[in-house]
Amino acid sequence: MSQFEVLMKRYQGMVFSQARKAFLTEEEAEDFTQEVFIQTYESLSKFRGESQFSTWLFQIARFRLTKVFKKKKLPIADWQEDISFVADKSGPSVAEILDKEETSHTLRSLISKLPKSYQMPILLHYFENKPLKEIALDLNIKLNTIKSHISRGKDLLRKWWSHEIES
């Protein structure tokens, strides 16, 4: 198995789970996920390693999703948040959208500051909806250690979040 296939296997669920929130059918989400990985493979030489691969992949997916929605002339919410589009005109106000984007940005920023050992289990569990046992297998870490990392990571996030709110 090539290194890219390993990466694809590791991150395919993350991209697909987010695409599933954005598209009406599972087939569209699967097609989108495949397109993202094709573009990622074609752009692999541009990856400089200044960020995690998952962050870079997410950016590719986000730009691709924006392009798809602009082409279809559909409004788009923040990809890394709960992706959805408004079917009618009674959507959230501009202030609500900006507040949600600011909250999402703050949360992503705080997660990126977590130690790597806490970051990946939290992302896999809460953003990809992977079961703890599967995360333990994927990361080759004992289940109780995964539980501990998630708990400690959440504690840090709560602490940091409260400081962000107070600021």
Side-chain angles (χ1 to χ4, degrees), residues 24 28 58 130 143 167:
L24 296 175
E28 287 177 306
F58 230 37
K130 282 194 173 190
L143 179 61
S167 303

Side-chain angles (χ1 to χ4, degrees), residues 37-89:
F37 278 97
I38 289 169
Q39 183 175 354
T40 301
Y41 181 77
E42 291 170 350
S43 303
L44 209 49
S45 64
K46 296 176 185 172
F47 179 61
R48 298 184 304 253
E50 294 171 357
S51 64
Q52 290 187 14
F53 181 81
S54 59
T55 303
W56 183 70
L57 173 64
F58 230 37
Q59 283 299 99
I60 290 173
R62 183 178 182 201
F63 290 130
R64 186 150 197 81
L65 186 69
T66 302
K67 190 175 182 179
V68 167
F69 276 57
K70 280 182 181 177
K71 194 178 212 180
K72 291 182 177 183
K73 296 185 178 167
L74 296 170
I76 182 169
D78 187 356
W79 165 260
Q80 295 182 13
E81 185 74 51
D82 183 19
I83 301 171
S84 60
F85 50 88
V86 181
D88 57 41
K89 304 228 188 251

